[in-house]
């Protein structure tokens, strides 16, 4: 049986711990019989500790970011070790909202190394800001991949998830959804860049996700035709009914 990964990125939602707890409890209840999907929830970090007791065995917790240093004078930041101690298993890194706010690929690279060092699993977001007919977005993406993944130990790639998230397909402002064909094309492209940097074996050992306007209506298309091992879900992960549906669809395909 195949296993797919459904990652919920809650971003800066919901406003209360009670709502967060209710949502997690609802998801945990709805997925009791799910066998072929790993569900990972990335809530705001303030909810990580209290949610530990609510997630049960079927849901894993993720952080939405971290610092690359292990301690020190970094006001407002959290270290990978702190997150591990809070029961976190995965960390989303290089999300487009962080990159837009100024995070560089070099910083994401440091964070990947720091996260791997303490045994957490990085979910690294990659994606072009816009598409152009001259295909400049391919060189943009190639540079982003090269800078983000330089100097990572070869054996670590099998632990890493790469989420292909084109910015133009994310959130309420999205121009349009990406197509599953665009997803698989970019997965192949990213693998080719990594195969040139490292080896084909390394490139093939990475697990890919698609993210950007995933809904119950299109989830199966990305999973079947998008060349990915799972989905990164934003808005619809905050809606119990829709998120449950996405998980059920995923489970049914495996
Ligand atoms: C995201 O921002 O990671 C995301 C996938 O958002 P949405 O699903 O809302 O487009």
């Amino acid at each position: 049986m195949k296993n797919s990964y459904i990652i919920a990125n809650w971003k800066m939602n919901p406003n209360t711990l009670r709502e967060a707890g209710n949502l997690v409890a609802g998801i945990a209840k709805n997925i009791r019989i799910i066998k072929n999907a790993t569900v990972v929830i990335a809530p705001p970090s303030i909810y990580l500790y209290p949610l530990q007791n609510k997630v049960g065995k079927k849901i894993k917790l993720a952080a939405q970011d971290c610092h690359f240093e292990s301690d020190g004078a970094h006001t407002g930041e959290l270290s990978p070790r702190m997150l591990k101690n809070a029961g976190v298993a995965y960390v989303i890194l290089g999300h487009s909202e962080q990159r837009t706010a100024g995070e560089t690929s070099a910083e994401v690279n440091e964070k990947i190394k720091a996260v791997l060092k303490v045994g957490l699993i990085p979910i690294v977001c990659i994606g072009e800001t816009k598409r152009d007919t001259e295909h400049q977005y391919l060189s943009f993406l190639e540079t982003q991949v090269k800078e983000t993944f330089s100097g990572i130990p070869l054996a670590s790639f099998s632990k890493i998830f790469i989420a292909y998230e084109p910015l133009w397909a994310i959130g309420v402002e999205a121009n349009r959804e990406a197509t599953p064909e665009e997803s698989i094309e970019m997965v192949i492209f990213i693998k080719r860049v990594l195969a040139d940097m490292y080896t084909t074996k390394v490139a093939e050992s990475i697990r890919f996700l698609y993210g950007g306007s995933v809904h119950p209506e299109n989830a199966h298309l990305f999973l079947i035709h998008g060349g990915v091992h799972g989905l990164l879900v934003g808005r619809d992960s905050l809606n119990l009914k829709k998120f449950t549906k996405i998980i059920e669809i995923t489970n049914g395909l495996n």
Side-chain angles (χ1 to χ4, degrees):
M1 275 287 186
K2 220 175 97 193
N3 183 60
S4 302
Y5 296 80
I6 304 298
I7 321 294
N9 179 10
W10 284 3
K11 309 188 181 188
M12 203 166 70
N13 303 291
N15 270 321
T16 65
L17 176 59
R18 179 194 285 259
E19 289 169 275
N22 287 343
L23 187 50
V24 161
I27 298 165
K29 182 164 169 261
N30 290 353
I31 66 168
R32 269 176 320 204
I33 57 161
I34 297 292
K35 285 202 169 66
N36 309 316
T38 298
V39 178
V40 180
I41 295 179
S45 54
I46 194 167
Y47 301 144
L48 287 167
Y49 259 116
L51 288 186
Q52 261 187 66
N53 300 326
K54 299 237 180 220
V55 287
K57 288 205 175 83
K58 288 269 166 76
I59 299 172
K60 305 281 177 223
L61 285 172
Q64 296 177 10
D65 191 21
C66 70
H67 200 275
F68 50 81
E69 296 285 4
S70 53
D71 49 37
H74 304 288
T75 304
E77 300 287 351
L78 296 170
S79 74
R81 174 68 63 193
M82 288 172 192
L83 295 172
K84 190 165 184 180
N85 292 342
V88 162
Y90 297 75
V91 187
I92 296 174
L93 296 173
H95 189 275
S96 60
E97 284 151 16
Q98 295 287 346
R99 289 183 189 262
T100 304
E103 185 178 56
T104 64
S105 293
E107 283 164 339
V108 180
N109 178 266
E110 296 282 344
K111 291 179 181 187
I112 297 171
K113 290 171 183 162
V115 159
L116 288 166
K117 220 179 200 165
V118 300
L120 295 176
I121 300 171
I123 299 169
V124 187
C125 301
I126 290 292
E128 75 279 7
T129 44
K130 55 180 194 286
R131 290 250 161 159
D132 59 305
T133 44
E134 288 79 39
H135 298 99
Q136 297 280 347
Y137 66 91
L138 291 177
S139 41
F140 174 91
L141 205 61
E142 182 176 351
T143 305
Q144 196 182 56
V145 171
K146 283 184 174 160
E147 290 176 357
T148 301
F149 294 102
S150 93
I152 306 287
L154 297 200
S156 299
F157 278 97
S158 60
K159 300 188 186 86
I160 295 175
F161 285 79
I162 296 182
Y164 172 59
E165 292 212 309
L167 267 71
W168 47 267
I170 293 177
V172 278
E173 312 263 289
N175 296 345
R176 63 171 175 87
E177 292 166 16
T179 63
E181 291 72 29
E182 285 167 331
S183 168
I184 195 166
E185 269 168 28
M186 298 321 292
V187 168
I188 293 168
F189 179 79
I190 295 166
K191 277 189 192 171
R192 226 175 34 222
V193 174
L194 288 164
D196 287 347
M197 285 173 77
Y198 297 101
T199 63
T200 307
K201 197 171 158 210
V202 162
E204 288 302 331
S205 70
I206 300 166
R207 284 166 293 186
F208 281 85
L209 308 169
Y210 168 78
S213 300
V214 169
H215 306 298
E217 297 73 29
N218 62 15
H220 67 290
L221 297 174
F222 287 107
L223 291 166
I224 297 171
H225 305 295
V228 292
H229 303 80
L231 304 167
L232 181 45
V233 187
R235 280 157 294 161
D236 279 8
S237 70
L238 289 156
N239 179 309
L240 177 59
K241 217 164 146 192
K242 289 185 181 179
F243 192 58
T244 302
K245 190 83 199 141
I246 292 171
I247 298 166
E248 285 170 352
I249 290 165
T250 306
N251 187 57
L253 292 174
N254 290 334

